[in-house]
Amino acid sequence: MAQRVRDMIVAGDIEAGTRINERVLTEQLGVSRTPLREAFKILEGEGLVRIDPNRGATVVGISPEEVEAAIEVLIGLESVAAARACERATPQMIAEIERLHAEMVDAYQRGELMEYFHINQTIHQRIVDCAHNATLSRIYAAESARIRRYRYAGNRRSERWARAVFEHEQILDALRQREGALLREVLRAHHLSGWGVTRNVLEGELSKAENQTLPGDR
C-alpha cells in the first residue's frame, strides 16, 4: 500500500502541499482507511508526508534550494562510497548491478518511466552498498527517499531520460573497471546534469502555481 501511494506522490498525481483526501483515495485504491493510514506512517518516516492531528496527511513540499542541498549531500555520500565500492564490491554485487542495469534499459525502451525510476534508484543504492558501510548506506537511503519525487521530475523530460541512460552506462563501466576516481566523477556529473534539468522543471511548476493564484488569495 505504501508503495502505491508513494508512486502517486512521486509521479505528481498527488501534488506537494496537498492534503490527502482519505475517502477519495480509499475509493480509488479499493482499500479501507486502516492500511492507508499505516501507509501514511511509513511515508511520514520517509519525509514524503506530514501527519497532522485531526487533519490527516499532507504531501510535503520542499523548495528547489532544499532539493539542491540534498543533491549535494547525495553527491558527497556517493563520492565517499565510490573508491570503497570499487575496492570492496564482490563479483556477485557487480553482477547484480549489471542485471539491474539491463532491466533499467529495457524499461526505458518500453517507455515505462516509473519502473525505470525504481530500478535506477536501486542501482544507486546498490553502488553505495558495495562500500560495505552500513551507516553510509542507511544515510544515503534516507536522504534519497526524501527527495525521490524531485529526482523523478527531471526524467519526465525525454532528452534527460535518454541522457541519463547513457550516463548509467558510464557509471557501470567505471564500476566494472574498479576505477574509484572515475566512478566518483561520473556519478557527480550524473547528479549535476540531472539536477540542472530538474531545477528547471521545479521552477516552472512554482511559476505556474504562482500565476494560477488569484490576486485576492495573495
Side-chain angles (χ1 to χ4, degrees):
M1 177 53 60
Q3 185 63 60
R4 295 173 71 184
V5 180
R6 184 186 296 114
D7 284 350
M8 295 177 73
I9 293 172
V10 168
D13 296 332
I14 308 175
E15 296 182 354
T18 301
R19 185 164 66 87
I20 301 174
N21 188 313
E22 289 187 10
R23 181 182 59 79
V24 171
L25 198 56
T26 54
E27 292 176 357
Q28 184 176 349
L29 299 178
V31 298
S32 68
R33 291 193 176 187
T34 298
L36 186 61
R37 289 174 177 173
E38 289 301 316
F40 289 160
K41 292 178 183 178
I42 294 172
L43 299 179
E44 183 180 39
E46 296 177 1
L48 290 178
V49 305
R50 181 185 69 251
I51 300 175
D52 299 312
N54 304 316
R55 288 183 57 82
T58 299
V59 178
V60 173
I62 57 179
S63 69
E65 290 73 24
E66 290 175 291
V67 179
E68 184 172 27
I71 291 293
E72 290 177 357
V73 170
L74 293 182
I75 290 173
L77 293 172
E78 288 189 355
S79 294
V80 171
R84 291 171 175 80
C86 288
E87 293 170 0
R88 302 173 181 175
T90 66
Q92 292 79 10
M93 295 176 83
I94 294 177
E96 182 195 7
I97 293 171
E98 290 176 327
R99 176 184 61 77
L100 288 167
H101 178 82
E103 292 177 0
M104 184 186 72
V105 172
D106 179 65
Y108 165 71
Q109 292 173 340
R110 290 184 286 109
E112 295 292 340
L113 180 53
M114 185 59 74
E115 180 183 347
Y116 164 91
F117 182 72
H118 283 313
I119 301 170
N120 176 289
Q121 297 292 281
T122 301
I123 289 172
H124 280 275
Q125 183 67 54
R126 291 292 180 271
I127 290 172
V128 173
D129 292 344
C130 283
H132 292 276
N133 184 319
T135 301
L136 185 65
S137 291
R138 185 180 68 251
I139 296 172
Y140 185 88
E143 198 62 22
S144 292
R146 193 171 70 89
I147 62 167
R148 186 179 281 117
R149 171 185 177 270
Y150 302 93
R151 295 177 74 181
Y152 177 90
N155 287 325
R156 294 204 301 263
R157 300 278 182 89
S158 59
E159 68 277 10
R160 173 56 201 158
W161 194 6
R163 179 68 186 176
V165 174
F166 171 74
E167 291 166 358
H168 263 266
E169 294 281 359
Q170 296 178 312
I171 291 167
L172 180 57
D173 284 343
L175 180 62
R176 282 172 174 152
Q177 295 167 26
R178 296 184 181 269
E179 292 286 349
L182 177 60
L183 179 59
R184 181 183 66 244
E185 291 307 310
V186 293
L187 283 167
R188 178 177 181 275
H190 174 64
H191 278 298
L192 292 177
S193 177
W195 170 238
V197 176
T198 299
R199 186 179 187 107
N200 289 335
V201 171
L202 297 181
E203 289 177 343
E205 290 177 354
L206 287 173
S207 177
K208 180 180 178 181
E210 289 171 359
N211 290 334
Q212 289 177 341
T213 302
L214 296 174
D217 292 335
R218 294 178 180 171

